[in-house]
């Protein structure tokens, strides 16, 4: 059984766990299924708006799809969320990615 299948089974037992939705998103991203990954990252953020690295990963997926403007917008939102959550490290990571993308 692959990792995505295992995470999906765990998700079926606990659909409100943002760790599981985040993990499923990353697995889809590894497969190049960026739209599916973004959907799962949106579920992660709906479950926990302070899950800062979901913003980071969503921006990476959007950038990989060629939508750098949307990626920068997500990073700006994520930086604000990280600052509200007191997660300076996540905010710095997102600022660094934004510079790389060109925002």
């Amino acid at each position: 059984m692959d990792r995505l299948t295992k995470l999906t089974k765990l998700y079926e037992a606990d659909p409100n766990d943002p760790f599981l939705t985040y993990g499923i998103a990353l697995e889809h991203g590894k497969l190049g299924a960026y739209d599916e990954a973004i959907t799962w990252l949106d579920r992660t953020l709906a479950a926990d708006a302070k899950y800062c690295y979901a913003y980071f990963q969503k921006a990476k997926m959007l950038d990989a799809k060629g939508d750098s403007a949307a990626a920068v917008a997500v990073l700006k939102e994520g930086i604000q969320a990280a600052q509200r959550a007191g997660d300076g490290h996540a905010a710095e990571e997102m600022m660094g990615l934004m510079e790389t993308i060109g925002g």
Side-chain angles (χ1 to χ4, degrees), residues 34 38 59-71 101:
Y34 301 124
I38 290 166
K60 283 179 63 175
M61 303 296 172
L62 287 164
D63 188 49
K65 286 180 50 163
D67 194 348
S68 59
I101 292 172

Side-chain angles (χ1 to χ4, degrees), residues 9-47:
K9 285 186 183 265
L10 290 170
Y11 170 77
E12 289 169 0
D14 187 3
N16 297 315
D17 186 341
F19 178 76
L20 294 173
T21 56
Y22 182 77
I24 291 168
L26 294 185
E27 292 303 312
H28 282 291
K30 288 178 190 174
L31 297 171
Y34 301 124
D35 289 331
E36 190 69 18
I38 290 166
T39 297
W40 283 97
L41 290 165
D42 286 340
R43 288 181 186 179
T44 303
L45 293 169

Side-chain angles (χ1 to χ4, degrees), residues 58-88:
K58 183 176 177 180
K60 283 179 63 175
M61 303 296 172
L62 287 164
D63 188 49
K65 286 180 50 163
D67 194 348
S68 59
V72 168
V74 167
L75 288 168
K76 288 179 180 178
E77 184 181 350
I79 290 165
Q80 290 176 351
Q83 290 169 339
R84 284 191 302 271
D87 191 341

